[in-house]
Amino acid sequence: MMDNLNMDLVRLCRRNRDGSFGTQTNRSRGLAAMADELLELGYKLPTAASLKPKHVDALVEKWLNDDKSDASIRNRLSWLRWWAEKIGKPNVVSRDNATYGVAERGETHRNRAQTLDTTQLQAIESPHIQASVLLQVAFGLRREEAIKFRPHIAMRADHIALQPSWTKGGRARTIPITTLDQRQTLHHIAALVKGQGSLIPVDLTYVEQLKRYEYQTHKAGLRNTHGFRHAYAQQRYKVLAGLPCPLAGGKTWKEMTPKEREADRAARRQISAELGHGRLKVTDTYLGSAF
C-alpha cells in the first residue's frame, strides 16, 4: 500500500509530464524509491511539498554510504531538483553537485576525502555521536556501522570485528588496528559505553539516534561524514602501496613501474576488504582509477 508521500509524488508526476516517455518513467521510479528511502530513514513526509534541505542531505548521505557512483547520484539529484521546482521550493536542493561531494558531468571522480576539524567535533553535543564520528575517521566505517558499534563485541587484540547486523548486506568483516589513534579511539569508546551497550543510548532506537546524528553533525558543520571513509581509504593506500593514490595526486597506471602496479593491486584488494566491498572496482571511487 502506498504511503501519502508516494501517492502525492505520483500525482505530481501526472500533472507535470516533462521530457520523453522514458525520462518520465525513470523519474517517476526514482522519486518512488526516494520516498521509500526517506521512510526507511525515519522521515514520514505527509506531502511532496514537505521536502526540506535536511531530507535532501539525508538522501545524499545514504547514497554516498551505499557507494553509488557520481553519475548515479547526479541523476538522483536532477530528479530531486525537479521535485523541488514543481513544489515551488527550488532552493531546497543546491544547484551545485560539488556541494554534496559529487563530481560534475565530465569529471571522472571527485576526491571526497575530508579531515576532521576538532572544533566541529567538539560542537557535537552527544558524546555517543562524537564517538561514532571518531570511529568513521579511525576505521573508515559507514555511518550505520559506527552508530551500531558495540565495543565489548568488536574489540580484539589487533583488530575490530564488525557483526553482520551492523553492516551493509549483512557481511561480517574485520579491520586491523594499526595506529595509536585507532587504539585511543577504542579506549575512549570502551570507557564511554559500559557493559554490553552500543553507541545508541539505551532509551533510543537506531532510527532515532540516526536522526539525532544527522541533526547534530549538520549543526556542527559536518555536512558529509562519508568523506572520512574516503580519507581512511587513501591513508591506507599510502601505507600499503608506498605512494599516494591517483585521486590524491599519485601516479596513474601508465606511470607506475611493474612493481608499483603490483603494490597498487594488492593495496586495493586489502582496502576493498577493510571497507566491506565485494568488487575491487568500487575502490576507484575512493582512490581514483589506476587505468
Side-chain angles (χ1 to χ4, degrees):
M1 184 177 175
M2 275 193 190
D3 61 21
N4 291 341
L5 177 58
N6 255 308
M7 290 174 64
D8 208 25
L9 286 170
V10 167
R11 287 191 287 267
L12 197 67
C13 289
R14 284 175 180 164
R15 287 198 304 269
N16 301 276
R17 298 186 179 276
D18 316 29
S20 68
F21 179 76
T23 296
Q24 291 177 45
T25 302
N26 289 338
R27 183 168 57 223
S28 179
R29 288 174 180 166
L31 292 174
M34 286 181 211
D36 293 341
E37 287 172 325
L38 284 167
L39 198 57
E40 179 190 330
L41 291 166
Y43 292 105
K44 296 181 180 179
L45 278 66
T47 68
S50 306
L51 185 69
K52 295 178 180 176
K54 68 178 180 181
H55 303 131
V56 176
D57 286 338
L59 284 169
V60 173
E61 184 81 11
K62 182 184 187 305
W63 300 332
L64 291 171
N65 272 288
D66 289 346
D67 294 310
K68 300 295 184 190
S69 68
D70 287 295
S72 175
I73 297 176
R74 277 199 304 271
N75 280 339
R76 287 167 166 80
L77 283 170
S78 72
W79 297 330
L80 267 176
R81 290 184 182 108
W82 181 92
W83 173 359
E85 180 189 322
K86 298 308 177 188
I87 61 171
K89 293 181 172 180
N91 293 332
V92 163
V93 189
S94 171
R95 305 307 303 175
D96 183 7
N97 291 326
T99 302
Y100 304 106
V102 176
E104 298 291 356
R105 202 173 302 278
E107 287 183 285
T108 308
H109 292 293
R110 175 175 288 273
N111 192 346
R112 299 176 189 162
Q114 67 181 54
T115 54
L116 180 61
D117 184 324
T118 53
T119 57
Q120 289 178 321
L121 179 69
Q122 290 161 4
I124 296 171
E125 296 166 21
S126 163
H128 289 78
I129 294 171
Q130 280 189 2
S132 291
V133 170
L134 287 172
L135 273 174
Q136 289 180 271
V137 174
F139 292 96
L141 301 192
R142 294 184 179 92
R143 182 177 59 181
E144 180 175 357
E145 296 164 350
I147 291 174
K148 291 181 175 178
F149 192 81
R150 301 174 77 94
H152 75 285
I153 292 176
M155 289 170 59
R156 310 294 165 84
D158 62 353
H159 67 275
I160 58 170
L162 303 184
Q163 304 304 297
S165 60
W166 310 347
T167 64
K168 180 184 174 185
R171 294 189 292 267
R173 72 180 191 276
T174 61
I175 305 173
I177 301 169
T178 61
T179 70
L180 181 59
D181 281 348
Q182 287 176 323
R183 290 197 181 278
Q184 289 174 337
T185 295
L186 292 173
H187 289 153
H188 167 72
I189 291 168
L192 175 67
V193 179
K194 305 297 182 185
Q196 307 292 303
S198 74
L199 284 175
I200 304 172
V202 291
D203 57 332
L204 296 175
T205 65
Y206 166 68
V207 168
E208 288 169 339
Q209 181 67 353
L210 174 60
K211 290 175 84 169
R212 286 179 77 227
Y213 173 104
E214 288 172 348
Y215 173 75
Q216 291 194 20
T217 53
H218 288 169
K219 187 179 174 185
L222 289 171
R223 188 184 191 101
N224 171 24
T225 57
H226 192 72
F228 300 138
R229 187 166 156 85
H230 286 251
Y232 172 84
Q234 292 181 17
Q235 289 160 6
R236 286 293 283 151
Y237 182 95
K238 192 168 185 179
V239 169
L240 294 166
L243 68 163
C245 66
L247 201 55
K251 293 181 178 180
T252 65
W253 184 260
K254 286 182 180 179
E255 295 167 337
M256 291 180 188
T257 65
K259 189 173 182 180
E260 287 170 339
R261 289 179 180 179
E262 190 179 320
D264 173 273
R265 295 291 94 185
R268 286 174 187 265
R269 282 192 293 272
Q270 177 65 27
I271 291 164
S272 181
E274 290 180 21
L275 294 179
H277 287 297
R279 292 183 302 114
L280 198 63
K281 183 67 179 170
V282 177
T283 60
D284 286 359
T285 305
Y286 297 88
L287 306 171
S289 175
F291 296 98

